[in-house]
Amino acid sequence: MLYHLGMAWDLRWRICQDDSRKFSVQKRNVSLELVIPSIEQLSWLDMDWCSILQRTQLHMNLLEPFIPFRRVLLQTLSCRDNMLQHLLQSATTLRKGSRFSQAAGALHEFKSLCVGTKEQHSSLYWLGRIEEAKLFRAQGQNEMAINLGMYISQNYQSNEEASDVYRLIGKWLAETRSSNSRTILEKYLKPAVSITEDVKTADKKAMGRRCQTHFHLAHYTDALFRSHEERLNSNEWQSAMRLRKHKTVELEALIKRLRSSTKGEKTDYTMKIQELQKQVAMDKEEEQKLQDDRDNFLNLALEGYKHCLVIGDKYDVRVVFRIVSLWFSLSSRKHVVNSMLSTIDEVQSFKFIPLVYQIASRMGSSKDGQGPLNFQFALVSLVKKMAIDHPYHTVLQLLALANGDRIKDKQRSRSSFVIDMDKKHAAENLLNELSSYHGAIIRQMKQMVDIYIKLAEMETKREDTNKRMTLPRDLRNLPVLELVPVVTATISIDRSCQYHEGSFPYFKGLGDSVMIMNGINAPKVVECLGSDGCRYRQLAKSGNDDLRQDAVMEQFFGLVNTFLRNHQDTWRRRLGVRTYKVVPFTPSAGVLEWVNGTLPLGEYLIGSMRNGGAHGRYGVGDWPFFKCREHMANERDKRKAFQEVCRNFRPVMHFFFLERFLHPAEWFEKRLAYTRSVATSSMVGYIVGLGDRHSMNILIDQTTAEVVHIDLGVAFEQGLMLKTPERVPYRLTRDVIDGMGVTGVEGVFRRCCEKTLSVMRTNKEALLTIVEVFIHDPLYKWALSPLKALQRQKEMDVDLDTSLEEPQNEYEGNKDAARALLRVKQKLDGYEDGEMRSIHGQVQQLIQDAIDSERLCQMFPGWGAWL
């Protein structure tokens, strides 16, 4: 006898009707097509659908078809524990999907069964009460959650789960600020760590719990450290310190006068001296306590972060960035250096590889002090360990530093780049030490770097632009470098540090010819031959732009993508920023990964010579681009001129999808991908203040319709420093909106903006830490000089043959960096025009600013605000 086969068929249909859900199921090789057996077979059948859903991370709507089937299961399963486990997992899954009323219903059934079967004091019952406390917290009922947690901690004595209870109570008290720090630490977070350390099992669940408790202790003490540090550096505290100093001087003066005073005056002086002595003593005690607490919190945070990295991988991204930021900002403190040395010794080096560029850039800094066991010693020890374990991810960074003075005479004479000889010598010394470990690899990597530098700096003539040239003989007859990977290929980090033969495609040479691209620096497109038979297209570039800045921005985009992938809503929508590899070899030369199958947005819209493109094909009777630009440049009333240009220059971007995607389903899918891509890149670009977004700096993938941003040298609000300031938060011009279809910025675009901004706000602390690490990067230029700003906007119209950048002193750079961090923080907090906004309100304001004709008409004409 079969039970309700129709329900099983309906379930299959509901899962398969959405392509994204079907993809999720297929991706993880899990089948959810259920044929329900006879009632007699249900007693032994394992239909743990909650576990399936957790593994597949499907949308919560998929839970609904299972609800009636769950009730049948509960009535027929003979195993009591299976029923309770099933209900508990149901409640957890529903809570994580924000289905709070259904989760409460599952917990109610769970408690009713526990009472009916006299299971009120079993371990499973208390796990249900913990889940109930989590549900209260998720619903915003903080006091009920905390009180229930305290009740559980007093009545449930299991060592395995007690640490979770203490950790949750401490975490909730800290987040709601419902108790003082001493209580939170001593009664909850520290006992949670102690309990997990007492459990000697080394299974995955126990290790995960141990990692989690260490992280929450470190995270809370880190917040306390920052609070104390901010107070000690605040203007109010500095004023109080000046007042205390004044009291101390007054006390000393009174003591001197007491010696020469009359008998009658001595009584008054004595009383005043005693009063001042008490005040000074109290002030000193307060200051000492504040400093001691600060140092204690810092030590607890550093120790907790270290244990977190040693034990597990769950918090690696957040912890590595934060701990490196602490090392950089507190490099003069002896106990921080000691903690750093201990961490380097105990933590696997691959965890620091995402920050190898920033860590190596701090080598050779004279302000870090001299002597044994100082910050520089610890820093070099870390870089050396990374280079020994992972040479393919580290040595190229060291070679770039060692080439820090390798600048063409033309650029050197005009002070385009600051040369730091300390860093150069530090990198050279370390490379010499590493020769005993990876001598052959370093030699071959140096050969490859020299080849690319020679290619990038190869002289060309203006008439060679957009033509293919044969490479010189010395760049065609190259040796096979079997120990060097293709520089733009992705090499996975091997945690065992064993990079065997065949684990990456190695360098076999370059193609016989290169394409000379348009631009003042004449970048060359070349094909690198890999041992895997693939031809990797690359862009070799040398000139006035520092590729190290592009590399930093690509690194930031990659980390934002990590956060977007880890969030259910953004992962389901496949939101992300398209990235490409940037590998600097010298301050002025390097290689970029060529993004295959793309063309500049401006090239599609108006052609490479700005006189054709889609506007030429479909905008019959419209003004040409040059006439629009000339009109905007010459008219005094910019707003009226902009409106007139818009009337005579209609958007045509929607034809891109009609031309390339002929099948309706494909057309819809690609337009959706385009809209999501524009939304994500717009929000991420806004947060980091990405400027210079003219139409030639945005590529569109002709296969996926996703956008790719290039030329990332103007970031962190530097666009406001241009001669004609960029007043829009990102590019959302009429053609960009036209590609989104009839709904424009409403619907998909707005929702994806809100989801992206929500994830970035949720990970605000981690993102600020990332930017803070970049602040300590001495190679990053945080501001444009006035002359460089002028050059940037001239490049939109004409080519310049001169470099106009001035050197930036360290003090100015630090001020600009601190201002950049503050602005990023304000954006993530939701501040717009001095007012705090909700996510919806902030997105609405940004969209309004981006399409505001008053702002657009003031943009530099070469930016093409009407395009």
Side-chain angles (χ1 to χ4, degrees):
M1 180 181 69
L2 294 180
Y3 174 75
H4 201 355
L5 278 176
M7 190 183 75
W9 172 258
D10 181 60
L11 174 61
R12 286 198 296 273
W13 176 81
R14 294 183 69 169
I15 292 173
C16 296
Q17 69 178 341
D18 186 326
D19 287 340
S20 63
R21 296 179 194 169
K22 186 163 65 175
F23 172 78
S24 299
V25 174
Q26 292 173 347
K27 185 176 180 182
R28 290 161 178 78
N29 297 318
V30 175
S31 173
L32 287 178
E33 297 189 3
L34 306 176
V35 177
I36 301 175
S38 63
I39 294 292
E40 290 77 14
Q41 292 174 313
L42 284 170
S43 59
W44 54 265
L45 183 67
D46 179 14
M47 295 297 292
D48 191 355
W49 58 271
C50 284
S51 296
I52 295 172
L53 285 174
Q54 284 176 322
R55 287 197 301 271
T56 57
Q57 302 179 25
L58 294 177
H59 193 265
M60 291 306 301
N61 286 336
L62 287 177
L63 284 171
E64 293 173 3
F66 288 96
I67 302 297
F69 182 59
R70 185 189 71 188
R71 294 195 182 108
V72 175
L73 266 175
L74 291 176
Q75 294 168 6
T76 55
L77 285 173
S78 60
C79 180
R80 185 173 55 213
D81 285 345
N82 281 353
M83 284 191 265
L84 294 174
Q85 288 275 9
H86 170 77
L87 282 168
L88 187 55
Q89 290 177 14
S90 300
T92 302
T93 306
L94 289 162
R95 171 179 58 81
K96 289 179 178 177
S98 300
R99 299 295 187 89
F100 299 139
S101 59
Q102 290 172 289
L107 281 174
H108 178 73
E109 288 186 50
F110 173 87
K111 287 193 287 185
S112 299
L113 280 172
C114 285
V115 171
T117 55
K118 299 180 181 180
E119 292 282 341
Q120 299 99 310
H121 303 293
S122 68
S123 176
L124 201 56
Y125 169 78
W126 289 110
L127 289 177
R129 300 310 303 271
I130 294 172
E131 178 57 38
E132 187 179 3
K134 290 180 181 178
L135 180 59
F136 283 142
R137 172 64 178 155
Q139 291 174 308
Q141 301 179 49
N142 300 321
E143 192 173 345
M144 292 182 68
I146 292 168
N147 289 337
L148 179 55
M150 290 178 175
Y151 171 77
I152 296 169
S153 69
Q154 293 164 6
N155 293 276
Y156 181 46
Q157 303 301 324
S158 167
N159 273 347
E160 288 188 8
E161 307 297 341
S163 66
D164 281 345
V165 179
Y166 282 111
R167 175 183 59 79
L168 288 171
I169 297 172
K171 178 172 175 277
W172 295 340
L173 287 171
E175 289 172 348
T176 58
R177 300 185 179 182
S178 304
S179 186
N180 62 67
S181 59
R182 188 173 298 278
T183 300
I184 294 171
L185 284 173
E186 302 299 331
K187 287 191 65 175
Y188 299 107
L189 293 181
K190 284 185 178 179
V193 170
S194 300
I195 292 169
T196 57
E197 293 297 333
D198 290 340
V199 176
K200 301 302 180 184
T201 56
D203 60 276
K204 188 176 181 180
K205 189 175 181 181
M207 297 300 285
R209 186 179 287 121
R210 194 177 304 168
C211 180
Q212 200 171 25
T213 53
H214 276 294
F215 173 76
H216 282 106
L217 174 62
H219 184 67
Y220 181 59
T221 52
D222 188 10
L224 292 173
F225 161 73
R226 277 182 287 187
S227 173
H228 281 58
E229 189 81 346
E230 286 171 7
R231 186 180 172 191
L232 286 168
N233 293 324
S234 65
N235 292 331
E236 293 82 358
W237 184 262
Q238 298 304 320
S239 299
M241 292 296 291
R242 287 193 292 270
L243 186 60
R244 290 167 196 171
K245 188 177 181 181
H246 177 73
K247 286 181 181 179
T248 304
V249 172
E250 184 182 357
L251 178 61
E252 292 172 355
L254 284 173
I255 292 173
K256 285 181 182 179
R257 296 190 65 177
L258 179 64
R259 295 167 189 161
S260 59
S261 62
T262 63
K263 187 175 181 180
E265 292 174 331
K266 281 187 177 180
T267 304
D268 293 337
Y269 283 145
T270 303
M271 290 180 62
K272 185 64 175 175
I273 287 170
Q274 288 176 349
E275 182 182 342
L276 281 173
Q277 284 176 333
K278 285 181 181 178
Q279 289 179 5
V280 170
M282 288 172 62
D283 289 343
K284 284 184 178 177
E285 185 181 349
E286 181 188 8
E287 182 183 1
Q288 190 62 47
K289 183 179 184 302
L290 200 61
Q291 290 176 346
D292 290 344
D293 285 347
R294 177 198 63 185
D295 293 342
N296 181 44
F297 293 144
L298 176 60
N299 289 332
L300 284 170
L302 289 170
E303 195 66 18
Y305 284 144
K306 180 184 77 174
H307 285 300
C308 196
L309 290 173
V310 170
I311 295 167
D313 302 329
K314 183 177 180 180
Y315 302 100
D316 279 359
V317 173
R318 296 175 65 181
V319 170
V320 166
F321 273 86
R322 181 56 188 158
I323 202 170
V324 170
S325 178
L326 287 170
W327 290 348
F328 284 0
S329 59
L330 306 170
S331 58
S332 60
R333 301 186 188 181
K334 185 67 178 174
H335 63 100
V336 173
V337 175
N338 291 335
S339 172
M340 183 178 176
L341 288 166
S342 172
T343 303
I344 292 168
D345 185 53
E346 296 181 39
V347 176
Q348 289 179 286
S349 60
F350 76 85
K351 299 200 173 188
F352 296 100
I353 290 297
L355 276 175
V356 62
Y357 175 81
Q358 282 73 28
I359 294 170
S361 295
R362 277 296 291 264
M363 289 199 313
S365 179
S366 56
K367 68 178 183 178
D368 292 324
Q370 303 297 323
L373 302 182
N374 67 352
F375 177 72
Q376 279 297 311
F377 174 83
L379 194 72
V380 172
S381 300
L382 175 56
V383 178
K384 184 176 179 180
K385 184 177 180 181
M386 286 192 289
I388 292 171
D389 294 344
H390 308 282
Y392 301 111
H393 300 85
T394 310
V395 172
L396 278 176
Q397 314 291 344
L398 295 176
L399 289 173
L401 289 175
N403 289 329
D405 65 338
R406 195 164 172 177
I407 301 170
K408 288 193 286 189
D409 292 337
K410 183 179 178 182
Q411 294 162 339
R412 188 190 302 270
S413 62
R414 294 182 178 132
S415 303
S416 295
F417 301 96
V418 178
I419 299 172
D420 192 329
M421 296 305 293
D422 289 339
K423 294 188 189 306
K424 171 182 166 61
H425 294 321
E428 286 174 342
N429 292 336
L430 184 53
L431 285 168
N432 289 335
E433 287 184 46
L434 292 170
S435 294
S436 58
Y437 299 92
H438 300 299
I441 292 175
I442 293 172
R443 283 193 297 274
Q444 289 196 12
M445 279 195 174
K446 282 182 178 178
Q447 285 181 267
M448 183 197 68
V449 169
D450 288 339
I451 289 166
Y452 276 113
I453 293 174
K454 192 179 295 185
L455 172 64
E457 295 179 349
M458 186 175 71
E459 295 292 337
T460 59
K461 299 175 183 177
R462 186 177 292 272
E463 53 267 25
D464 295 330
T465 301
N466 293 326
K467 293 180 181 177
R468 187 166 289 279
M469 282 181 58
T470 303
L471 282 174
R473 186 182 299 274
D474 59 336
L475 290 178
R476 278 182 288 149
N477 301 328
L478 298 174
V480 173
L481 305 177
E482 66 278 355
L483 299 178
V484 178
V486 173
V487 70
T488 53
T490 301
I491 308 168
S492 300
I493 296 173
D494 189 338
R495 298 187 177 192
S496 66
C497 309
Q498 302 294 321
Y499 292 91
H500 301 290
E501 184 180 349
S503 58
F504 57 80
Y506 60 79
F507 181 92
K508 290 189 71 175
L510 299 176
D512 292 338
S513 61
V514 294
M515 173 68 77
I516 310 301
M517 304 299 291
N518 189 27
I520 58 173
N521 301 312
K524 293 93 180 170
V525 178
V526 65
E527 287 187 336
C528 175
L529 311 179
S531 60
D532 56 355
C534 295
R535 301 173 75 91
Y536 295 84
R537 293 189 80 190
Q538 301 165 340
L539 186 72
K541 197 173 180 183
S542 172
N544 304 320
D545 294 330
D546 191 343
L547 290 182
R548 295 176 297 193
Q549 299 185 48
D550 288 62
V552 166
M553 291 308 301
E554 286 297 328
Q555 187 181 8
F556 184 87
F557 292 163
L559 288 160
V560 171
N561 285 341
T562 301
F563 296 132
L564 293 173
R565 282 194 299 269
N566 290 339
H567 189 275
Q568 183 176 336
D569 286 342
T570 51
W571 172 83
R572 188 168 55 84
R573 288 178 169 86
R574 303 183 188 93
L575 300 186
V577 183
R578 282 284 295 271
T579 60
Y580 53 90
K581 286 195 74 173
V582 181
V583 187
F585 293 136
T586 74
S588 61
V591 169
L592 299 89
E593 177 186 2
W594 184 266
V595 188
N596 288 316
T598 61
L599 83 162
L601 192 63
E603 187 174 324
Y604 171 75
L605 292 173
I606 55 176
S608 58
M609 302 305 293
R610 301 186 178 185
N611 59 0
H615 277 281
R617 294 192 297 274
Y618 303 109
V620 179
D622 286 355
W623 289 2
F625 180 85
F626 286 112
K627 183 176 179 179
C628 295
R629 188 179 68 190
E630 185 179 352
H631 189 70
M632 287 300 301
N634 296 335
E635 292 293 320
R636 289 193 174 186
D637 188 341
K638 299 296 183 184
R639 182 170 185 175
K640 184 179 177 182
F642 182 72
Q643 290 172 344
E644 189 174 359
V645 166
C646 289
R647 284 195 298 271
N648 292 280
F649 195 86
R650 294 165 295 174
V652 297
M653 186 62 199
H654 66 279
F655 287 106
F656 175 86
F657 302 94
L658 294 173
E659 288 176 349
R660 284 163 171 76
F661 312 111
L662 304 181
H663 192 280
E666 189 183 18
W667 167 85
F668 180 78
E669 179 190 353
K670 301 308 179 186
R671 197 189 68 180
L672 189 63
Y674 165 80
T675 308
R676 289 170 171 173
S677 177
V678 171
T680 308
S681 59
S682 296
M683 288 298 103
V684 177
Y686 158 72
I687 291 296
V688 296
L690 186 62
D692 198 25
R693 296 298 88 204
H694 58 81
S695 58
M696 292 297 179
N697 277 347
I698 302 175
L699 310 180
I700 185 164
D701 192 310
Q702 299 181 83
T703 303
T704 67
E706 294 172 318
V707 296
V708 187
H709 286 259
I710 61 171
D711 197 359
L712 312 174
V714 179
F716 297 108
E717 305 291 346
Q718 292 175 16
L720 292 172
M721 300 299 109
L722 296 168
K723 184 184 177 184
T724 305
E726 295 186 350
R727 300 293 184 186
V728 293
Y730 46 83
R731 187 176 190 90
L732 193 61
T733 50
R734 296 182 309 141
D735 265 307
V736 174
I737 296 173
D738 188 62
M740 299 175 189
V742 292
T743 58
V745 297
E746 303 303 330
V748 174
F749 179 80
R750 187 183 294 273
R751 278 199 305 275
C752 290
C753 284
E754 289 174 357
K755 294 296 181 184
T756 303
L757 193 58
S758 174
V759 169
M760 296 183 79
R761 278 202 192 182
T762 303
N763 294 279
K764 177 182 73 174
E765 218 167 77
L767 289 172
L768 287 172
T769 299
I770 292 164
V771 176
E772 198 172 352
V773 171
F774 295 160
I775 279 180
H776 295 293
D777 182 355
L779 300 180
Y780 192 89
K781 294 183 181 66
W782 288 93
L784 295 176
S785 70
L787 291 175
K788 181 66 174 178
L790 176 64
Q791 176 183 326
R792 270 278 173 185
Q793 291 193 326
K794 283 188 177 180
E795 282 175 3
M796 294 181 189
D797 288 332
V798 296
D799 293 343
L800 296 182
D801 295 322
T802 57
S803 172
L804 300 170
E805 188 174 359
E806 294 176 338
Q808 175 184 335
N809 68 54
E810 185 178 341
Y811 176 69
E812 288 297 324
N814 288 339
K815 284 200 304 182
D816 289 320
R819 186 163 55 246
L821 178 65
L822 178 63
R823 186 66 189 108
V824 171
K825 184 178 185 303
Q826 289 172 343
K827 291 176 181 179
L828 290 171
D829 285 335
Y831 281 99
E832 295 298 331
D833 297 330
E835 299 177 4
M836 183 177 282
R837 308 287 174 88
S838 65
I839 290 174
H840 176 79
Q842 189 177 12
V843 168
Q844 170 63 26
Q845 180 69 54
L846 293 174
I847 292 174
Q848 193 62 43
D849 289 348
I851 64 176
D852 183 9
S853 58
E854 193 64 47
R855 291 172 182 259
L856 288 169
C857 71
Q858 299 296 329
M859 294 292 289
F860 184 70
W863 196 81
W866 58 91
L867 187 60

